[in-house]
Amino acid sequence: MKINDNFEALPESYLFSTVAAKLRQYREEHPEADVIRMDIGDVTLPIPDAAIKAMHKAVDDMAAKTTFHGYGPEQGYDFLRNAIAQGDYASRGVNVNADEIFISDGAKSDLGNLGDIYSEDSIVAVADPGYPVYVDANVIDGRGGKLVDGKWSNFVYLPCTPANGFKPVPPVEHADVIFLCSPANPTGVSFTRSELEAWVAYARANKSLIIYDSAYCAYITSGDVPHSIYEIEGAREVAIEVRSFSKTAGFTGLRCGYTVVPAELCGEDAEGREVPLRKLWNRRQTTKFNGASYVIQRGAEALYSAEGKEQVSENVDYYLGNARMIRDKMTEAGFEVYGGDNSPYIWVKSPDGEESWPLFERLLTEANISCTPGVGFGDAGQGYIRLTGFNTRENTEEAMRRIIRMFNKK
Ligand SMILES: *Cc1c(COP(=O)(O)O)cnc(C)c1O
């Protein structure tokens, strides 16, 4: 047999493994060093108690003949789909039906698997810098073309720079499928209503599909930042929304997320006939997926109880408190900083035009702080680093003191 050659064309993903290797080496050579991890891309607080209780009960359900659950619906249990439709959409005045919601084992799977429902020759647009899954999954599916100077010839790259506040703007070129992430990883910035309206208008004019990754919507606090793309008029005809319980409720190790495919949303077949994407996604899921775990879905459902909501917002507030502190201290010290208000991520420009990796090395050796080099998320991230609010308050405070001391700021 022959392999899928796209895997060989795909460069190794060096970013997180290189950060980890450099950290390991530094700690071996300097066992006395107290390194503070400001690069953590995972939640650190435990699962909210409401979900823990619900999952204990769900495990007991599995122990009795009358309450045992075997294969569940591939689309997810109605109890969770209804809780989401009510708790994440109806309660905010947004029209999303339970039968448009597909439960999964996480957003990353859905973002990668959605490529099954659009054509292999689709022109894909991605933000630079951006979450690497959008690019790599589409390259594996054969949509990359040739890799020239680190860029795939068939992609439309949406450069994010200080000029646009690191928020991608609609391109002049045509794109069939556009991946948007708000609040964004790695930059921490989020679209305002009018910025998102411009994207919906572009997608309507170009008959494009927007795949809207709102894994961080629980971190939104600003009034002018939409939680869902469906808050924008006309978005139901052009957008799929992907969400996750990972960063919201700490489910990174439990695995649960969901994807919304509105009933009106269509693509064109070879004969130019309109085909509902919900039908295709349903077919894809029923063929290749057998549903998320009953126990985990019960845990996710409990996040929508009064108790669950309160516990989720306590955890999110803790991370947001760290992120705000980083943003404020770094800004006060004169750094150019993005994100950190509706997001756990803070995107920081090198003070002296230094590139991302040299700055990473210097922070590690001079201040014992680890960060994520921005260039690892795309060329436009060169000269930036990503800091995160996932460490403890105490460590975050100490990290800020060290950085400010290191740069002799105040
Ligand atoms: C963490 C993350 C995800 C993945 O979420 P899972 O549900 O854990 O798979 C998706 N998108 C972005 C931007 C993320 O940062």
Side-chain angles (χ1 to χ4, degrees):
M1 57 73 83
K2 291 222 168 84
I3 64 154
N4 175 351
D5 283 327
N6 298 314
F7 281 92
E8 295 209 309
L10 197 63
E12 287 293 330
S13 165
Y14 290 118
L15 179 60
F16 299 105
S17 56
T18 309
V19 167
K22 284 182 182 284
L23 258 177
R24 205 178 323 113
Q25 190 194 346
Y26 185 77
R27 282 174 155 157
E28 269 166 30
E29 290 167 4
H30 305 271
E32 75 298 341
D34 167 30
V35 177
I36 300 181
R37 300 282 307 264
M38 297 302 285
D39 62 307
I40 306 174
D42 196 352
V43 292
T44 49
L45 296 170
I47 305 296
D49 193 51
I52 293 293
K53 286 203 182 99
M55 288 190 288
H56 275 298
K57 184 178 172 301
V59 168
D60 288 338
D61 288 348
M62 292 305 213
K65 223 173 188 171
T66 50
T67 48
F68 163 78
H69 284 70
Y71 285 125
E74 292 95 338
Q75 303 82 356
Y77 283 102
D78 282 342
F79 62 75
L80 181 54
R81 301 173 91 192
N82 288 327
I84 293 168
Q86 176 55 41
D88 286 342
Y89 295 105
S91 68
R92 308 189 61 87
V94 179
N95 169 25
V96 167
N97 254 309
D99 65 1
E100 297 168 322
I101 298 168
F102 295 82
I103 312 297
S104 71
D105 62 351
K108 193 189 205 176
S109 317
D110 288 349
L111 291 161
N113 294 335
L114 279 164
D116 280 1
I117 68 168
Y118 49 85
S119 97
E120 200 189 310
D121 53 18
S122 303
I123 304 292
V124 174
V126 291
D128 173 17
Y131 185 57
V133 176
Y134 316 140
V135 170
D136 291 3
N138 281 289
V139 169
I140 289 171
D141 288 352
R143 297 190 189 91
K146 291 209 164 54
L147 188 61
V148 184
D149 296 333
K151 297 251 192 264
W152 293 96
S153 56
N154 290 352
F155 284 7
V156 172
Y157 289 90
L158 308 165
C160 299
T161 63
N164 55 32
F166 278 94
K167 294 185 239 189
V169 290
V172 190
E173 306 99 300
H174 169 84
D176 298 303
V177 179
I178 305 138
F179 284 84
L180 296 178
C181 183
S182 175
N185 184 4
T187 58
V189 300
S190 35
F191 289 123
T192 62
R193 191 166 303 278
S194 61
E195 289 162 348
L196 201 48
E197 278 166 2
W199 271 112
V200 170
Y202 172 92
R204 293 181 69 91
N206 282 272
K207 294 190 166 187
S208 331
L209 168 67
I210 294 174
I211 297 180
Y212 195 68
D213 182 349
S214 65
Y216 296 92
C217 66
Y219 292 78
I220 295 171
T221 55
S222 306
D224 63 340
V225 173
H227 288 237
S228 164
I229 194 167
Y230 305 121
E231 290 177 39
I232 308 299
E233 210 184 310
R236 284 178 56 87
E237 284 92 26
V238 292
I240 286 176
E241 182 160 285
V242 180
R243 288 198 185 183
S244 168
F245 295 103
S246 285
K247 315 303 172 14
T248 307
F251 273 41
T252 51
L254 291 174
R255 313 304 310 141
C256 196
Y258 64 88
T259 282
V260 178
V261 189
E264 299 91 313
L265 177 57
C266 289
E268 272 177 18
D269 70 9
E271 270 77 52
R273 287 179 300 234
E274 300 244 293
V275 179
L277 294 189
R278 183 172 60 157
K279 188 176 144 197
L280 302 191
W281 185 242
N282 188 58
R283 184 62 205 266
R284 191 269 166 215
Q285 291 297 78
T286 52
T287 302
K288 294 198 190 178
F289 183 60
N290 246 340
S293 147
Y294 169 73
V295 173
I296 305 298
Q297 290 191 65
R298 280 294 185 199
E301 178 196 20
L303 302 170
Y304 294 93
S305 66
E307 193 197 358
K309 277 190 228 165
E310 203 180 300
Q311 292 163 356
V312 165
S313 78
E314 269 170 32
N315 286 8
V316 168
D317 284 349
Y318 183 80
Y319 300 134
L320 271 178
N322 290 343
R324 279 199 201 102
M325 194 222 303
I326 299 169
R327 185 197 59 191
D328 293 349
K329 294 272 180 203
M330 299 293 283
T331 307
E332 239 177 74
F335 288 89
E336 191 177 320
V337 170
Y338 300 84
D341 45 1
N342 297 299
S343 162
Y345 298 125
I346 302 92
W347 186 244
V348 183
K349 189 176 189 326
S350 294
D352 310 310
E354 200 172 7
E355 294 198 329
S356 300
W357 280 107
L359 179 57
F360 166 89
E361 298 274 356
R362 225 150 59 80
L363 277 169
L364 183 58
T365 54
E366 293 176 30
N368 291 345
I369 304 284
S370 67
C371 66
T372 312
V375 68
F377 297 100
D379 287 351
Q382 182 60 279
Y384 290 81
I385 55 166
R386 188 190 73 175
L387 302 177
T388 81
F390 289 127
N391 211 316
T392 62
R393 185 65 44 94
E394 300 70 35
N395 283 345
T396 307
E397 278 168 357
E398 172 59 17
M400 289 304 101
R401 277 194 289 273
R402 290 187 195 173
I403 292 182
I404 288 165
R405 208 183 310 132
M406 172 177 156
F407 288 94
N408 263 332
K409 307 234 182 188
K410 291 203 181 156

